[in-house]
DNA sequence: ATTGATATGGAATAAACGTTCCAATACAGG
DNA sequence: CCTGTATTGGAACGTTTATTCCATATCAAT
C-alpha cells in the first residue's frame, strides 16, 4: 500500500487559488507557490500538473464556488432588494479581504481571457451562470409582484452582472468599501 | 547639429499604448514592442527609458486622453440621459475595437495596481477625475430640473464610474456589444 | 523487511526576459 | 569634410522562469 498523502490536495488547491488571486497568474512564480502552499515543487507537479493546469483547476473551483454562493444567496425568498443587497454585500466582503485581492474571475478575465481559450470559456460559463441565476430569481420576484413585469429580467440580470464586474475591479485597485456599498444601493434602484 | 528624429515620439507612444492595451504589461515582451512599434530596442531605451517607464508614460497619456474625452462629452448640454448614453457608447466603441482590448486603465488596475504604486496613484486620479466630472455634470442637470435634486450626485457619479469599470471587463473578456448597450440603458434608469 | 507510493531538496536544463554594450550607418548642421 | 546626434542590428550579460532529473528519506501495508 502506498504512503498516504501528507497534505490535503483540496486544501492546498484553495491556497493556490488565493495566491493567484492576490498576485495574478503571470506575476506568480513557482517559488511563490511552493512558499505559499508549503509544498515542494515536485509534489505540485505530481499532484496538479504544471502551472497552467494548477491555475485552471483553481479557476474552475472558484467558478463552482461562486455559482454555488450566488445560488445559495438567491434561494432566500426574502424581498428581492434585500436578497440582492445581501448577495452584493457578500461579494464585496469576499473581494475586499486583507490586501483586497478582488475577484479571481474578474482578474483572470482581464489578464488572461484574450490569450487563454480555457479562461475565456470559463468566463463565458461564469457570465451565463450568474446571469441565469439572477434572471430566474428576478422572474420569481416579478411573478410575486415585487418588480414591474414590464422589465426584462435578462437585461436586468446582465446589468447586475456587469455591475459585479465593476465592483471587482474597484475593490482590487481602489478598495473603498463604503463607495462600493453606495454603488450597490444605486444599482438596486433599477428595479424601480 | 544633430540628426532629426526619424519617428514621431508621440505617435510611437500611442502605438506602445495600444500594444500594452491588447497584451497587458507582463505579457508584452520587448520584442513585441520593437515589432509593434517598428522601432529598434535601443531607440526605445534612448527615447523613453526602460519598459516600466514606457508603460507609465503610455498609461499617463491614456489617463489624460480619457479625462479629456469624458470632459468633452459632458460639455454637451443636451438632455443628460442622451449625454451619458453618448459617453458610454463612445467608451464601448473604444473598448470593443478589433480584438476588443478593453480599457487600458481597467486592465492596469487589475493587473498592476496591487504591485505598482504609480499605477495605483494613476488609478486613483482616474477615478477621482471621472467621478468629479460626472458629479458636476449631474449637478447641472439637477439644477436644470432634469434629475431629482434629492439624489446624491457624488454617489451617482461613483455608480456610473463603477459601471464603466464593469463594461471595460466585459468588453475585454466577453465582448458582446449588444449586451453592453443593454446594461447602459439599465444603468441610466437610476437617474429616475 | 521489503515494497511501492509519497515527499523533499538540490542540481540541471533550456528558454525567455530585460537590459547593456558595441560597431556600423545615416544624416543635418557648422 | 567634420562633428555630433540618431538609429539600427547583433552580440553579450545576467537574471528569472518553468520544468525535469535525481538521489534521498518517509511511511503504510503486506
Amino acid at each position: 500500500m502506498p504512503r498516504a498523502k501528507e497534505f490535503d490536495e483540496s486544501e492546498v488547491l484553495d491556497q493556490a487559488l488565493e495566491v493567484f488571486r492576490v498576485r495574478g497568474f503571470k506575476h506568480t512564480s513557482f517559488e511563490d507557490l511552493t512558499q505559499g502552499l508549503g509544498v515542494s515543487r515536485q509534489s505540485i507537479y505530481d499532484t496538479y500538473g504544471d502551472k497552467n493546469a494548477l491555475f485552471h483547476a483553481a479557476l474552475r473551483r472558484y467558478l463552482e464556488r461562486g455559482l454555488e454562493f450566488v445560488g445559495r444567496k438567491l434561494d432566500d425568498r426574502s424581498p428581492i432588494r434585500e436578497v440582492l443587497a445581501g448577495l452584493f454585500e457578500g461579494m464585496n466582503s469576499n473581494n475586499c479581504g486583507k490586501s483586497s485581492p478582488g475577484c479571481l474571475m474578474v482578474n483572470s478575465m482581464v489578464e488572461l481571457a484574450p490569450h487563454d481559450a480555457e479562461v475565456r470559456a470559463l468566463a463565458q460559463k461564469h457570465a451565463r451562470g450568474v446571469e441565469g441565476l439572477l434572471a430566474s430569481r428576478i422572474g420569481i420576484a416579478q411573478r410575486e409582484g415585487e418588480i414591474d413585469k414590464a422589465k426584462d429580467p435578462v437585461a436586468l440580470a446582465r446589468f447586475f452582472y456587469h455591475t459585479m464586474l465593476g465592483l471587482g475591479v474597484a475593490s482590487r485597485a481602489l478598495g473603498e468599501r463604503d463607495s462600493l456599498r453606495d454603488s450597490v444601493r444605486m444599482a438596486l434602484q433599477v428595479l424601480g
Side-chain angles (χ1 to χ4, degrees), chain A residues 80-127:
Chain A
I80 184 71
R81 284 157 188 82
E82 288 175 22
V83 169
L84 291 180
L87 172 61
F88 278 108
E89 178 60 26
M91 286 185 164
N92 283 343
S93 292
N94 196 284
N95 293 347
C96 296
K98 170 75 180 153
S99 81
S100 58
C103 166
L104 180 63
M105 185 57 71
V106 169
N107 299 351
S108 305
M109 287 167 83
V110 169
E111 187 193 352
L112 303 170
H115 315 295
D116 185 323
E118 170 135 15
V119 169
R120 216 159 38 238
L122 292 176
Q124 296 281 351
K125 199 168 168 183
H126 188 252

Side-chain angles (χ1 to χ4, degrees), chain A residues 129-146:
Chain A
V130 174
E131 286 172 6
L133 290 170
L134 282 169
S136 93
R137 181 64 179 80
I138 288 169
I140 292 173
Q142 283 179 313
R143 268 171 256 124
E144 300 203 350
E146 290 190 276

Side-chain angles (χ1 to χ4, degrees), chain A residues 16 20 53 55 59 65 71 85-86 96 114 130 134-135 147 157 159 177 184 189:
Chain A
F20 281 130
F55 177 81
L59 185 58
R65 289 251 184 81
C96 296
V130 174
L134 282 169
I147 304 174
F159 162 72
R177 201 56 197 282
V184 170
Q189 294 191 5

